[in-house]
Amino acid sequence: MAVTDRHLVTAIVVTHDGETWLPAVVAALASQTRPADQIVAVDTDSNDSSTKLIKAARIPLISADRDCGFGDAVALAVAKMPKHIEGNSEWIWLIHDDCAPTPTALEKLLEAIEDRPQVAMVGPKLLGWHDRTHILEAGISIAGNGARWTGLETDEYDQGQHDGVHDVLSVSTAGALIRRDIFEELGGFDSNLSLFRDDIDFGWRARVAGHGVIATTAAVAHHAQASASERRSVDVNGAFLHRPLLLDRRNAAYVLLANSSWWMIPWLSIQLLGSAMARSIGYLLAKLPGYAADELLAVATLIVKPAEIVKARKFRKTKRLVSARVISSYIPPRWSQIRLSAARVTEVIRARILPVPESSSPSVLSSLEEEDLLVPTQRFQISKVLKNPAIFGYLLLAIITLIQSRNRLGALNGGALAASPSGARDLWGFYFESWHQVGMGSSHASPAWIAVVALASTLFLGKAPLLITLFFLAAPLLIMWSAHTFLRKLSSNQFITIPASFLYALSPVALASVNSGRLATLVALIIAPQIPMILSDWKQVETNNWRRIYALTILLAVLTSFTLITTLVSLGVIGIAILGDYNEKLEKPLFLARLYKRLTLLIFPFVLVAPYSFEALIRPARFLAEPGLNLAGGPTALVLSGNPGGAGSLPWWAISPILLLLVIALFSSSNARSFAQVGISFLSAAVLFSSISITVHGNSAGTRTWVGTFLVGATLASVAAGVVILDRLRTVLIASNIHYRHILAGLLLIITSLYSLSSVGWSITAGADSPVQSNMKGVMPAFLTAEADTKTLVLREVGAENSKSIQYYISRGEDISLGEPDVAPGQVRAIELAAQELIDGSGISSSQVFSSYGIKYVFVKNPFSRNVIRTIDGLGGFARTSATSAGVVWRVTGVTGRIIFTAKDGTRSVLEAGEVGARTTVNGPGSITLTETFDRSWQILQNGYRLDRAKDEQSLPQFQVKEAGEISLLHDGTIRRAWLSLQLIAWTLVIILAAPAGRRKREISEKELA
């Protein structure tokens, strides 16, 4: 005690509606081991019982206006104190009405400054009010973006890791001990900082005045942070709209601009504005528009009053004794801010994904208390692990998948799956560009699934082929996992749900999708089980909150991006539901509540994949198409058994129990009947559409519709119905005599077992030689790919040995890649007729037609009819240039290229062309023909003017040139960019609506704050 007797300490308590915390604060002051020499309280017109509590404690009270700031309240108390006597060691101890110092706090503060005469301000270690192990501060600073900097981790536990006496920029005013003479010398707290950041500003000014500021962790105080956590109103003068965050951000910017070196102000202004915009965007994403507005208004309130900053800087200049550079060591480096921000974001994500349970788990040692530690532990036995149905099921499926995928361990293509581009950059470029060099060229919008695959490829370091290979390899396991998460809601018996999920992953539609490269159907198989889980009650859809509706909207939009069949299914399901609601004659508010949510699920996914979805309204066949090459599905009889047919599908004799299960469940008295009704509806739709042929993806001939997506619904409903039936079947069979149920159960078990054995056996033998293979040779020979963007007419034979047909398409010098079939233009009738005449030998003018459309080569892929090859050799206009094992190549004679210039005298010449746009020169007036599909976005500029555009005899774009000079060809992508912007806005909006909403600090409970 002797070392503290020479100090005179006056404790100043500032109260403002603090009755919740004030009793503990007064008790803490009264229990100090080194009592304050004097205690005075300043109350800012509290609306609660704060003044009564202060008077009851016999503490002298000074009254102030309600809008009096903290610094002004302290100044009132200092002014009432006796005049300071030079040479005396007089200190003021600032106490918030929500800050309770521990009994030794003042004693330890005075000990810390005993041998440090240069110290003007010392503060304690601040711990939480509710959680007293949570360290809040041990000295503070300010970051370049205005953030309050403590250097601590989020919710850091106090284990003494920061103990000691530290030089700091400043300390919190909660519990701060300040020399009175220096406080008065520096002019006290800045009156412009009525609340928040006044502590940092004072510490900064004390530092540049040559004084020291320290924090001693031996002194401890518990702080509730009531104003910052919005536990009470902020009524101080200057608190615009009484918003704490706005005032805090405004004051942070004020402190930086008023105290920093003048040459730092431009950079700080940019930082403050940029960080305010970034944080406002974050708050908008968290659905906290008020906080977002606070961030921007905080900067705006300073911008409109620059005189305040100028005046503050002039005042500080008069008190500055040392260089402002002494502060730089206390400002946190940028990497520290980034590291701490990343840690906080990671912690938030972790808390969302892996929340910590409220009840702590028992100690490991306590669990061993009753065990004899001398008894040897049992050795690990794999047989016990394999008895777990989940482990055994997933392991068995993984082994089967590896065996059947032995020819798919590399870059995949074949079947409906086109070759993957080399990287994600190619996919992003393909998605963003307005013109696609496919066939005769296309301005069709890229489907949104390209962006999904590009985004996923980006996460795989841009390796698109690796992503596709891993996806097809992991698809069966993902399908089983997704099904199991749904089926376990129907039954808790894993011996039912695991085999059912296993069969779903090896269903006919799943095997056919993997073998034939059906991306959309695989995505549907994975997503479909999640839809009923998200939408818990479809009939009473109004009971689902909007967040859940928008989450399902995103899931449906992803599925719709792969196939517009999703829209057809949604239209049917939602239409029937709306009709049912109407027939129930519901009250209007209830009917409208259901209607809005159902229409959201129908319209929003369709809009989110626009404009590709809107183009389908003009080309209705797209509603039945899937990504990739348009391969035919199976016949109706095969579809009825749940098998989509087509290349890579199970043979007809591997009959699945899907139809039998649905029929049995239809006569069930349990919930299985509802699943059966859904399943039969999907199966009926599959049978109906399998009888339709469609023409899409640039094909001229119709192909039978692939109905895999419809069969996904039928298969899932069948499996779900089977689980519901089996879950209660054992009890029913035991309780009843032998009758038809026993016979049906036995028949179903036999058929299911036979299907399992036959499907697994086929998939690991003949099924492994599926159309989708790794490292398959391309169609185009290497020497034809050397000439970039050269059109080549490719002829090849497709089909079975006894039913071969000749297929032709236009190649741009390389094999077709992922996404290109989806935007391919339709066949040009003139080229189609010329190709047919070329094959049957009557194509005398075929070379002229090909030349006029810019086709430079004709390539016949081996094996091919030798008669047709000889026929082409005999026709005029084709010069054979190569004959290899890959095939035969002819060059089309005549002037042919991408850009053809025809002079006034009729002379034709080929101009230099780029991949899409071009810049070249013409020697005089004439016409320029672009051998691409006509599109209004094609433009040619000469001398800053657009040339007139028209269609020539072949409906190709033609431009009239009136003089010699340089020309620039371009395809205007303004419309595409507009659609992309709208799409980005729409996706952002829906994601925000689906995301969990943030909460204001006042909405967070005291327990959570602790």
Side-chain angles (χ1 to χ4, degrees):
M1 289 293 294
V3 295
T4 60
D5 286 343
R6 68 186 185 87
H7 301 293
L8 180 64
V9 179
T10 300
I12 300 176
V13 183
V14 180
T15 63
H16 182 85
D17 296 343
E19 65 177 359
T20 303
W21 312 276
L22 203 51
V25 174
V26 172
L29 289 175
S31 62
Q32 290 297 302
T33 57
R34 196 292 190 186
D37 298 288
Q38 183 183 359
I39 301 176
V40 62
V42 182
D43 181 74
T44 56
D45 194 18
S46 297
N47 290 329
D48 58 9
S49 61
S50 295
T51 55
K52 292 181 180 179
L53 291 170
I54 292 295
K55 290 176 180 178
R58 299 175 183 259
I59 297 175
L61 180 65
I62 301 172
S63 297
D65 294 334
R66 188 165 180 82
D67 62 353
C68 179
F70 179 83
D72 292 339
V74 172
L76 283 175
V78 173
K80 296 285 185 178
M81 293 167 57
K83 188 176 180 180
H84 174 67
I85 301 174
E86 190 71 28
N88 283 3
S89 179
E90 190 173 353
W91 296 78
I92 54 176
W93 192 23
L94 305 181
I95 302 295
H96 293 193
D97 60 357
D98 61 346
C99 175
T102 57
T104 61
L106 182 56
E107 179 183 347
K108 297 300 180 182
L109 289 172
L110 291 172
E111 284 181 6
I113 54 96
E114 185 63 29
D115 298 325
R116 296 177 176 88
Q118 80 283 5
V119 171
M121 185 180 187
V122 57
K125 174 169 63 177
L126 294 182
L127 300 180
W129 182 276
H130 301 282
D131 181 0
R132 306 219 160 186
T133 62
H134 174 202
I135 181 170
L136 301 177
E137 295 173 3
I140 54 173
S141 181
I142 187 170
N145 60 3
R148 188 179 183 89
W149 179 261
T150 63
L152 303 175
E153 304 291 339
T154 305
D155 301 329
E156 186 169 339
Y157 183 79
D158 180 31
Q159 296 176 303
Q161 66 272 33
H162 299 287
D163 281 0
V165 178
H166 307 289
D167 274 325
V168 293
L169 175 63
S170 186
V171 293
S172 172
T173 52
L177 190 65
I178 305 175
R179 271 178 56 181
R180 179 184 175 183
D181 57 338
I182 297 176
F183 181 82
E184 293 176 337
E185 173 191 323
L186 295 177
F189 293 114
D190 191 331
S191 59
N192 285 321
L193 302 173
S194 52
L195 191 66
F196 303 133
R197 308 304 180 107
D198 46 355
D199 43 15
I200 296 176
D201 176 73
F202 185 83
W204 193 320
R205 289 189 286 130
R207 279 284 177 188
V208 296
H211 305 293
V213 180
I214 62 172
T216 175
T217 57
V220 178
H222 300 282
H223 193 198
Q225 298 179 312
S227 297
S229 60
E230 301 182 3
R231 285 300 177 271
R232 59 179 167 200
S233 63
V234 176
D235 303 306
V236 295
N237 184 29
F240 183 58
L241 300 177
H242 305 284
R243 304 183 69 87
L245 180 63
L246 191 156
L247 184 62
D248 177 74
R249 296 301 188 197
R250 180 263 177 200
N251 288 356
Y254 177 91
V255 170
L256 284 172
L257 296 176
N259 290 285
S260 299
S261 300
W262 64 267
W263 55 271
M264 286 289 294
I265 290 180
W267 170 240
L268 286 172
S269 300
I270 295 173
Q271 269 194 295
L272 290 169
L273 182 60
S275 59
M277 294 180 66
R279 286 192 294 261
S280 64
I281 292 172
Y283 283 128
L284 285 175
L285 293 176
K287 289 179 272 191
L288 293 171
Y291 283 172
D294 288 347
E295 293 286 350
L296 298 177
L297 282 173
V299 179
T301 52
L302 280 181
I303 293 175
V304 298
K305 294 181 179 180
E308 287 186 2
I309 301 295
V310 175
K311 183 179 178 181
R313 291 185 63 84
K314 287 181 178 179
F315 174 77
R316 282 156 176 75
K317 187 176 181 180
T318 62
K319 305 295 182 180
R320 186 183 305 139
L321 298 179
V322 297
S323 172
R325 292 182 180 179
V326 300
I327 301 300
S328 59
S329 60
Y330 300 103
I331 302 298
R334 187 168 303 281
W335 68 266
S336 297
Q337 301 174 44
I338 295 173
R339 179 187 61 80
L340 192 58
S341 298
R344 287 173 177 170
V345 171
T346 303
E347 176 62 22
V348 170
I349 296 173
R350 186 209 61 76
R352 291 280 184 186
I353 299 175
L354 299 170
V356 178
E358 293 184 7
S359 59
S360 59
S361 58
S363 169
V364 176
L365 294 177
S366 64
S367 66
L368 298 176
E369 286 179 357
E370 299 180 359
E371 295 184 9
D372 188 352
L373 298 180
L374 298 178
V375 177
T377 57
Q378 294 184 353
R379 301 181 67 179
F380 173 76
Q381 296 180 358
I382 193 171
S383 59
K384 290 186 177 181
V385 176
L386 294 179
K387 287 180 181 179
N388 185 313
I391 295 176
F392 180 79
Y394 282 107
L395 185 60
L396 179 61
L397 182 62
I399 293 172
I400 294 172
T401 301
L402 283 174
I403 295 174
Q404 73 177 12
S405 302
R406 59 185 179 272
N407 295 328
R408 293 196 286 265
L409 301 177
L412 301 182
N413 68 306
L417 182 67
S420 302
S422 59
R425 180 182 297 180
D426 300 317
L427 287 171
W428 284 119
F430 183 83
Y431 182 69
F432 291 139
E433 62 191 13
S434 61
W435 184 258
H436 307 289
Q437 299 290 73
V438 183
M440 284 299 297
S442 167
S443 61
H444 295 334
S446 301
W449 69 265
I450 295 290
V452 176
V453 175
L455 181 61
S457 299
T458 303
L459 300 178
F460 279 80
L461 304 178
K463 305 295 184 182
L466 176 63
L467 168 71
I468 297 298
T469 300
L470 291 178
F471 176 74
F472 274 83
L473 193 62
L477 293 171
L478 293 174
I479 292 169
M480 181 177 176
W481 165 81
S482 182
H484 186 241
T485 57
F486 168 59
L487 295 178
R488 67 186 180 188
K489 302 291 184 182
L490 306 178
S491 172
S492 58
N493 190 342
Q494 282 197 335
F495 288 95
I496 296 176
T497 57
I498 289 296
S501 306
F502 180 86
L503 288 173
Y504 179 72
L506 289 179
S507 60
V509 65
L511 291 174
S513 300
V514 172
N515 290 340
S516 59
R518 307 283 186 173
L519 274 174
T521 308
L522 288 175
V523 173
L525 282 161
I526 297 170
I527 289 180
Q530 304 302 310
I531 294 175
M533 290 180 62
I534 294 177
L535 199 62
S536 56
D537 193 343
W538 173 243
K539 183 172 177 60
Q540 296 179 332
V541 70
E542 76 282 357
T543 60
N544 294 276
N545 60 42
W546 278 106
R547 262 196 62 209
R548 188 178 292 269
I549 294 296
Y550 285 115
L552 183 57
T553 296
I554 293 174
L555 203 62
L556 291 175
V558 172
L559 189 53
T560 305
S561 70
F562 281 88
T563 173
L564 292 175
I565 291 176
T566 309
T567 301
L568 295 181
V569 173
S570 299
L571 183 63
V573 172
I574 293 171
I576 292 172
I578 293 175
L579 185 62
D581 292 340
Y582 180 79
N583 291 333
E584 286 185 23
K585 302 187 183 303
L586 302 172
E587 295 182 2
K588 186 175 180 181
L590 179 59
F591 177 78
L592 290 177
R594 292 185 180 182
L595 180 66
Y596 294 152
K597 291 187 175 181
R598 296 193 201 280
L599 290 181
T600 297
L601 294 174
L602 174 64
I603 297 172
F604 273 43
F606 189 75
V607 172
L608 286 173
V609 298
Y612 184 81
S613 56
F614 291 169
E615 290 181 358
L617 299 174
I618 304 173
R619 303 172 181 86
R622 280 192 182 180
F623 282 102
L624 296 175
E626 293 202 2
L629 301 171
N630 188 31
L631 299 185
T636 301
L638 196 60
V639 171
L640 187 61
S641 67
N643 190 337
S649 63
L650 283 168
W652 64 269
W653 44 263
I655 301 175
S656 72
I658 291 175
L659 182 60
L660 178 62
L661 261 173
L662 291 175
V663 171
I664 292 174
L666 196 60
F667 296 97
S668 172
S669 58
S670 63
N671 292 333
R673 178 182 296 178
S674 300
F675 287 116
Q677 292 170 346
V678 173
I680 288 176
S681 299
F682 274 105
L683 191 61
S684 301
V687 170
L688 172 65
F689 286 110
S690 67
S691 62
I692 300 174
S693 295
I694 59 173
T695 303
V696 290
H697 297 176
N699 290 344
S700 57
T703 54
R704 190 187 296 271
T705 304
W706 164 268
V707 291
T709 305
F710 291 105
L711 290 179
V712 169
T715 303
L716 181 62
S718 173
V719 170
V723 168
V724 173
I725 292 174
L726 291 174
D727 192 45
R728 57 189 294 268
L729 182 61
R730 183 174 181 274
T731 306
V732 173
L733 293 181
I734 292 174
S736 60
N737 296 322
I738 295 179
H739 61 332
Y740 73 94
R741 286 192 178 91
H742 294 74
I743 298 173
L744 285 176
L747 180 62
L748 182 61
L749 182 62
I750 292 171
I751 293 177
T752 303
S753 301
L754 289 175
Y755 169 74
S756 301
L757 293 173
S758 60
S759 62
V760 170
W762 178 85
S763 64
I764 63 178
T765 54
D769 299 321
S770 62
V772 175
Q773 301 284 328
S774 61
N775 304 315
M776 291 181 65
K777 291 184 178 180
V779 175
M780 301 295 294
F783 62 88
L784 279 180
T785 62
E787 295 188 44
D789 201 48
T790 298
K791 295 191 188 78
T792 301
L793 183 72
V794 180
L795 303 175
R796 63 174 181 170
E797 291 182 341
V798 295
E801 187 66 31
N802 56 352
S803 59
K804 284 190 174 182
S805 61
I806 297 177
Q807 182 190 69
Y808 55 91
Y809 65 92
I810 297 174
S811 170
R812 291 286 187 139
E814 56 185 16
D815 290 322
I816 197 162
S817 63
L818 208 63
E820 289 184 346
D822 300 64
V823 297
Q827 293 284 359
V828 178
R829 183 59 179 167
I831 298 177
E832 185 178 352
L833 292 174
Q836 292 174 353
E837 292 173 355
L838 182 69
I839 294 169
D840 61 27
S842 61
I844 300 175
S845 61
S846 293
S847 64
Q848 297 176 3
V849 174
F850 295 157
S851 176
S852 63
Y853 283 95
I855 298 173
K856 190 174 183 179
Y857 295 104
V858 174
F859 171 60
V860 171
K861 173 72 174 175
N862 282 331
F864 204 83
S865 171
R866 309 311 299 175
N867 292 329
V868 174
I869 293 176
R870 284 193 291 270
T871 300
I872 297 175
D873 281 331
L875 290 174
F878 298 96
R880 182 186 286 205
T881 59
S882 173
T884 65
S885 59
V888 183
V889 179
W890 292 267
R891 181 185 175 92
V892 178
T893 59
V895 178
T896 181
R898 185 162 178 261
I899 305 176
I900 299 175
F901 175 68
T902 305
K904 287 294 185 180
D905 59 1
T907 305
R908 289 162 57 89
S909 59
V910 179
L911 299 180
E912 183 180 351
E915 186 175 348
V916 178
R919 177 172 291 182
T920 185
T921 57
V922 292
N923 298 324
S927 62
I928 296 176
T929 302
L930 179 64
T931 58
E932 302 277 6
T933 304
F934 183 87
D935 188 77
R936 289 182 296 176
S937 294
W938 282 119
Q939 297 177 9
I940 290 183
L941 303 178
Q942 185 179 36
N943 299 327
Y945 295 95
R946 296 179 184 176
L947 300 184
D948 294 334
R949 180 187 59 237
K951 287 184 180 181
D952 70 354
E953 299 83 5
Q954 287 80 28
S955 295
L956 299 174
Q958 191 174 71
F959 301 86
Q960 299 302 318
V961 181
K962 297 180 180 179
E963 60 182 351
E966 186 180 73
I967 63 167
S968 297
L969 169 69
L970 59 91
H971 188 268
D972 187 3
T974 303
I975 295 177
R976 177 60 180 165
R977 289 191 293 272
W979 276 114
L980 289 172
S981 300
L982 291 173
Q983 193 176 64
L984 178 63
I985 293 171
W987 273 98
T988 302
L989 177 63
V990 173
I991 290 173
I992 291 173
L993 292 172
R999 292 180 295 170
R1000 287 185 167 278
K1001 293 178 181 179
R1002 69 170 69 99
E1003 298 169 347
I1004 303 175
S1005 66
E1006 298 280 356
K1007 185 177 181 181
E1008 288 179 273
L1009 279 178

